[in-house]
Amino acid sequence: MSMGNNYELYKVFYWAAKTGSLTQAAKALYLTQPSVSHAIKQLEESFGVSLFYRNSKGVELTQEGMVLYSYIEQSQILITLAEEKMAALKNLDSGELRIGGSDSLFKHYVLPYLEQFHKLHPGVKLHLNHGTTPEVITFLKEGRIDLGVVRMPIVDPQLQVTESFQLQDCFVAGARYAELKNEVLTLDALLQYPIILFSRNSRARMTITELFHNYGYSIKPEIEVGSVDLLIEFARRGLGISYVTREFVSKELEEGSLFEVSLDIPLPPSHVGLLTMRNMPLSSAAKTFIGLVK
Amino acid sequence: MSMGNNYELYKVFYWAAKTGSLTQAAKALYLTQPSVSHAIKQLEESFGVSLFYRNSKGVELTQEGMVLYSYIEQSQILITLAEEKMAALKNLDSGELRIGGSDSLFKHYVLPYLEQFHKLHPGVKLHLNHGTTPEVITFLKEGRIDLGVVRMPIVDPQLQVTESFQLQDCFVAGARYAELKNEVLTLDALLQYPIILFSRNSRARMTITELFHNYGYSIKPEIEVGSVDLLIEFARRGLGISYVTREFVSKELEEGSLFEVSLDIPLPPSHVGLLTMRNMPLSSAAKTFIGLVK
DNA sequence: GTTACCCATAGACATGGTCTATATCTCCTG
DNA sequence: CAGGAGATATAGACCATGTCTATGGGTAAC
């Protein structure tokens, strides 16, 4: 009575019962007939019960064998489904990809990659969770997202950071300030104009504030807004000069509804990073997506 | 991509996921922690996917691991149920016993054993299929019954016969023929009385016919009936002398409503045999029942 | 009678699962 | 901050056991 069989035996039993032949079962399992015979015997001895009638045509389940089969069949089917499902997850025929980040980064930066990814792997469900950088980091640590897309720099020993893309922030203005189009302004000159900045707690805002401070100036916005779309819109309507990421206004720059205001100092580039948990395995979907971005 | 894992790995995975700890899983499976660690790693490599996050407190399922677990959990539960069920069948806490035979043998011979068996193993369902000897043999060969209870002799190479009990056939009469009570009749004398026999195709009928034939007589019944009950009833009512199995009329003999008619020749005993298929494994229930009878 | 197809058995062999020993990491505690 | 407790990972040795080949026996069909 050593209950607790090697579960491998059930696989053999399943095929023997299903095919009604130890020989056929052996072929299905890429084994030899004696191996199957031996396996069935082991099961029978462990249960102390005969599972098959042996006859010249093959084997047939006994009453007890049928009882066992009724359980094992379901069990084996589930395992087969599990293996298929795992293969699907691996091949990205299925599964999900959960990304966290800010709306503007999603819209202007992540979207094309997502489209590409979705085209390649339409079976993978996409979940976008928007939030601020600290929120995204929390999501990551709670396992609610697979990766985060945020502005650099991030310093957190638990996080793996992949700097993936460089963005260039700049000042832009609309037709109202057309006279600045071919000028190169000093900081002092710039500050004569009304400035529109992103709200106080954003990384871009902190960066530009610090930069001006280093040059001995203090930048105080006329207008503060909470979304990149508003930064763009206000600049277009001539309410002031907006500090935005150049890549996010490429359309407006092309069509001429906005132009870049040149300065006599270089503005620091900002980096976008992909955040993942360090020492945590990535899902196939996340791995593939990151590969796509790089 | 060598899909087709050793199913034993799923058992390990199940316990690791269930306990949230490789160490605990190892204890549950009577393995060491490195063995479990190794097993999980094999699964992960075969799927090309991480199944667990490892942390200092133990392990936690990844998204993919959860998917796998949702299948494997059911599968393992089914296997556990299967093993419990098989143990129950072995212990005769469950299962069924299917016996074929004639109604009279059931009533007069098998019943006490069935009662005893049922008392010992109330979980085993009993199925009685009545039929003639050839029918019972057919049932056996078709696997519709586990064993048959019939009169001997049976000659069939496919059948295993266990002679289990000896019955003595005899002639009995009722009050109407009270004058024979202390007589010892010759066959000749007996044949002066009306004889009641079982129907033509029964083994008892053939036996007695042949016996008389060997002594140079021909026995021709006044009345032929199709059941033992009628044989008894007719004799009691004085319609003639019935040839019955003594053990089947023990009650009537005791209470005096019938008495045995002695003859000057010995009547051959008849044997009841338990029939099973030769070279076919017996269910636990059948094995136990046969043991009980012997 | 003979062929062909089953399953059972025996015994040799080698794969691979399991072990011990050790490393590494994290968390918690004094 | 050092050190202990407890978690998993790794390396390497060993031997159990699963698998094979070879063979036997039985039955059905031609």
Side-chain angles (χ1 to χ4, degrees):
Chain A
M1 178 61 88
S2 69
M3 198 48 50
N5 279 307
N6 187 324
Y7 284 12
E8 198 68 1
L9 297 179
Y10 295 123
K11 179 158 62 182
V12 178
F13 168 77
Y14 171 66
W15 282 97
K18 190 177 173 182
T19 62
S21 155
L22 304 196
T23 306
Q24 291 306 311
K27 281 179 188 163
L29 294 164
Y30 301 99
L31 291 175
T32 57
Q33 171 266 317
S35 297
V36 173
S37 182
H38 184 227
I40 299 299
K41 192 173 194 182
Q42 275 186 76
L43 265 190
E44 289 182 324
E45 283 174 359
S46 84
F47 288 138
V49 150
S50 293
L51 298 172
F52 289 103
Y53 298 121
R54 276 77 165 171
N55 58 48
S56 62
K57 294 187 164 168
V59 294
E60 200 177 338
L61 286 169
T62 61
Q63 287 286 312
E64 281 97 342
M66 284 182 196
V67 171
L68 181 61
Y69 187 67
S70 68
Y71 290 85
I72 295 303
E73 182 185 22
Q74 288 305 310
S75 167
Q76 300 299 306
I77 288 173
L78 280 168
I79 291 179
T80 304
L81 287 177
E83 291 182 337
E84 285 171 3
K85 185 74 179 178
M86 295 311 282
L89 286 181
K90 175 73 191 310
N91 300 337
L92 299 181
D93 297 332
S94 142
E96 57 183 34
L97 174 62
R98 303 163 306 166
I99 306 181
S102 71
D103 272 335
S104 58
L105 278 176
F106 281 148
K107 182 172 173 186
H108 295 99
Y109 171 62
V110 181
L111 206 56
Y113 296 113
L114 280 178
E115 280 183 321
Q116 191 181 348
F117 183 87
H118 184 66
K119 212 167 186 175
L120 289 170
H121 311 293
V124 177
K125 290 184 188 155
L126 301 175
H127 298 265
L128 300 185
N129 299 43
H130 77 100
T132 64
T133 296
E135 284 172 344
V136 166
I137 291 176
T138 305
F139 290 166
L140 257 182
K141 292 185 177 174
E142 289 175 349
R144 293 171 53 190
I145 56 175
D146 296 309
L147 55 93
V149 181
V150 295
R151 298 267 187 157
M152 296 292 92
I154 297 289
V155 279
D156 189 318
Q158 286 187 65
L159 300 180
Q160 172 75 256
V161 178
T162 311
E163 294 208 357
S164 69
F165 203 71
Q166 180 168 317
L167 297 177
Q168 181 62 59
D169 291 334
C170 64
F171 287 91
V172 294
R176 165 85 178 272
Y177 300 102
E179 74 265 20
L180 301 179
K181 228 172 204 165
N182 297 313
E183 299 276 329
V184 175
L185 273 70
T186 61
L187 293 189
D188 201 36
L190 176 70
L191 289 177
Q192 305 307 314
Y193 294 88
I195 302 293
I196 310 172
L197 292 184
F198 207 81
S199 53
R200 194 169 301 271
N201 56 358
S202 79
R203 179 158 302 280
R205 170 69 175 277
M206 292 190 288
T207 308
I208 195 66
T209 304
E210 191 183 342
L211 181 78
F212 272 61
H213 182 74
N214 290 344
Y215 282 102
Y217 294 95
S218 169
I219 182 168
K220 298 216 173 101
E222 203 83 357
I223 303 176
E224 267 188 20
V225 300
S227 88
V228 175
D229 284 340
L230 289 181
L231 274 182
I232 297 169
E233 198 57 25
F234 280 20
R236 283 172 62 152
R237 300 198 177 197
L239 297 177
I241 297 177
S242 284
Y243 182 64
V244 300
T245 302
R246 185 191 288 146
E247 286 79 359
F248 294 178
V249 291
S250 51
K251 185 168 63 88
E252 287 79 1
L253 292 176
E254 262 179 43
E255 72 189 22
S257 66
L258 285 179
F259 65 90
E260 180 171 349
V261 176
S262 305
L263 294 184
D264 65 346
I265 60 154
L267 290 173
S270 82
H271 294 267
V272 173
L274 296 181
L275 254 49
T276 55
M277 292 296 287
R278 186 184 300 278
N279 298 330
M280 286 278 198
L282 286 176
S283 72
S284 296
K287 251 182 279 184
T288 304
F289 183 78
I290 291 173
L292 212 62
V293 170
K294 280 201 291 197
Chain B
M1 177 62 84
S2 69
M3 200 47 51
N5 279 309
N6 187 324
Y7 283 14
E8 198 68 1
L9 297 179
Y10 294 123
K11 180 159 61 181
V12 179
F13 169 75
Y14 172 65
W15 282 97
K18 191 178 172 182
T19 62
S21 155
L22 304 196
T23 306
Q24 292 306 311
K27 280 180 188 160
L29 295 165
Y30 301 100
L31 291 174
T32 58
Q33 171 267 318
S35 297
V36 173
S37 181
H38 184 228
I40 299 300
K41 192 173 192 180
Q42 275 187 76
L43 265 190
E44 290 182 324
E45 283 175 358
S46 84
F47 288 139
V49 150
S50 294
L51 298 171
F52 290 103
Y53 298 121
R54 276 78 165 171
N55 58 48
S56 64
K57 296 190 165 168
V59 295
E60 201 178 337
L61 287 169
T62 61
Q63 287 286 312
E64 281 96 342
M66 283 182 196
V67 171
L68 181 61
Y69 186 67
S70 68
Y71 290 85
I72 295 303
E73 182 185 23
Q74 288 305 311
S75 169
Q76 301 299 308
I77 288 174
L78 279 168
I79 291 179
T80 305
L81 287 177
E83 291 181 338
E84 284 171 2
K85 185 74 178 178
M86 295 311 282
L89 287 180
K90 176 71 192 311
N91 301 338
L92 299 180
D93 296 332
S94 142
E96 57 184 33
L97 175 62
R98 303 163 307 165
I99 307 181
S102 72
D103 271 336
S104 58
L105 279 175
F106 280 148
K107 182 171 173 185
H108 295 99
Y109 171 60
V110 180
L111 206 55
Y113 295 112
L114 281 178
E115 279 184 321
Q116 190 182 346
F117 183 86
H118 184 67
K119 212 167 187 174
L120 288 170
H121 311 294
V124 178
K125 289 184 188 155
L126 301 175
H127 297 266
L128 300 184
N129 298 42
H130 76 99
T132 63
T133 296
E135 284 172 344
V136 166
I137 291 176
T138 305
F139 289 166
L140 258 181
K141 292 185 177 174
E142 288 175 349
R144 293 171 52 190
I145 56 175
D146 296 310
L147 55 92
V149 180
V150 296
R151 299 268 185 155
M152 296 291 95
I154 296 289
V155 279
D156 188 318
Q158 286 187 64
L159 299 181
Q160 172 76 255
V161 178
T162 312
E163 294 206 359
S164 69
F165 203 70
Q166 179 169 317
L167 297 177
Q168 181 62 59
D169 291 335
C170 64
F171 287 93
V172 295
R176 166 85 177 273
Y177 301 101
E179 73 265 21
L180 300 178
K181 227 172 205 166
N182 297 314
E183 299 276 328
V184 175
L185 275 70
T186 61
L187 294 188
D188 203 34
L190 177 70
L191 289 176
Q192 304 308 315
Y193 293 88
I195 303 294
I196 310 171
L197 292 184
F198 206 81
S199 53
R200 195 170 300 272
N201 56 358
S202 79
R203 179 157 304 278
R205 170 68 175 276
M206 292 191 289
T207 308
I208 194 66
T209 303
E210 191 184 342
L211 180 79
F212 273 61
H213 182 74
N214 289 345
Y215 281 102
Y217 293 96
S218 169
I219 183 168
K220 299 217 174 99
E222 202 83 359
I223 304 177
E224 267 188 18
V225 300
S227 88
V228 175
D229 284 340
L230 289 180
L231 273 181
I232 296 169
E233 198 54 27
F234 281 21
R236 283 173 59 150
R237 299 199 177 196
L239 297 176
I241 297 177
S242 283
Y243 184 62
V244 298
T245 302
R246 186 192 288 146
E247 286 79 1
F248 294 177
V249 291
S250 52
K251 186 168 64 91
E252 287 80 1
L253 292 176
E254 262 179 43
E255 71 189 22
S257 64
L258 286 178
F259 65 90
E260 180 173 351
V261 177
S262 306
L263 294 184
D264 65 347
I265 58 154
L267 289 174
S270 82
H271 294 267
V272 173
L274 296 181
L275 254 50
T276 54
M277 292 296 288
R278 186 185 299 279
N279 297 331
M280 285 280 197
L282 286 175
S283 73
S284 296
K287 252 182 277 183
T288 304
F289 183 77
I290 291 173
L292 213 62
V293 171
K294 280 201 289 199

